[in-house]
Amino acid sequence: MRLAAFSTADIDSAFTHGLPVLHRPAGATTQPGRPDAAHARAITAWIAEASALALSGAAAGVVTCPIAKSSLAQAGLAHAGHTEYLAELTAHAAHAGPRGPVMMLVGGGLRVALATIHEPLSAVPSLLSAARIRKVAQVSA
């Protein structure tokens, strides 16, 4: 399958031609492997747009890629990462049952929901409990 850029108006037919990707320029020159706080506003806008599209039903879900959290912090974003930012953006959405945020990693047939996110490894043992693991499992179900 090839990668192709589509507008939201063309999205219904996009899957027959490739993987639909909304084209959203960074607004500043990018250099692979060189995070830059100049991109933080564009990154957060993309995450907010993806969230809004999913909440409206225009998108079936949101897939994120790794982001340079340091450049977002330099730009003043108050969240440890996009997982917490997505939690804020979706806090008003109707939802029955436990809420996240829960970070899930997916690859092949494997899905892994993390019981802790953005915590130092040394802190993890004290943060784990049966109740926390149960909540993550319920949110991820």
Side-chain angles (χ1 to χ4, degrees), residues 31 33 47 50 54 66 76 98 100 106-107 116 132 134-135:
Q31 189 173 14
I47 295 169
V106 178
T116 64
R132 185 177 190 140
R134 188 171 22 262
K135 179 183 176 191

Side-chain angles (χ1 to χ4, degrees), residues 15 49-55 57-64 86:
F15 284 99
E49 181 182 12
S51 176
L53 288 168
L55 288 172
V62 174
V63 175
T64 62
L86 282 164

Side-chain angles (χ1 to χ4, degrees), residues 12-130:
D12 288 339
S13 65
F15 284 99
T16 60
H17 303 288
L19 178 63
V21 175
L22 298 177
H23 179 66
R24 300 295 183 260
T29 303
T30 59
Q31 189 173 14
R34 303 249 187 235
D36 189 335
H39 305 124
R41 298 282 176 242
I43 292 167
T44 56
W46 298 332
I47 295 169
E49 181 182 12
S51 176
L53 288 168
L55 288 172
S56 74
V62 174
V63 175
T64 62
C65 297
I67 57 175
K69 294 166 189 67
S70 61
S71 62
L72 298 182
Q74 288 172 354
L77 185 67
H79 302 87
H82 54 310
T83 304
E84 295 85 355
Y85 184 45
L86 282 164
E88 179 183 301
L89 292 169
T90 59
H92 69 279
H95 177 72
R99 292 192 81 91
V102 170
M103 184 184 301
M104 180 180 280
L105 308 173
V106 178
L110 181 65
R111 288 169 168 56
V112 178
L114 306 180
T116 64
I117 53 175
H118 304 121
E119 299 290 348
L121 187 56
S122 60
V124 171
S126 66
L127 295 171
L128 293 178
S129 67

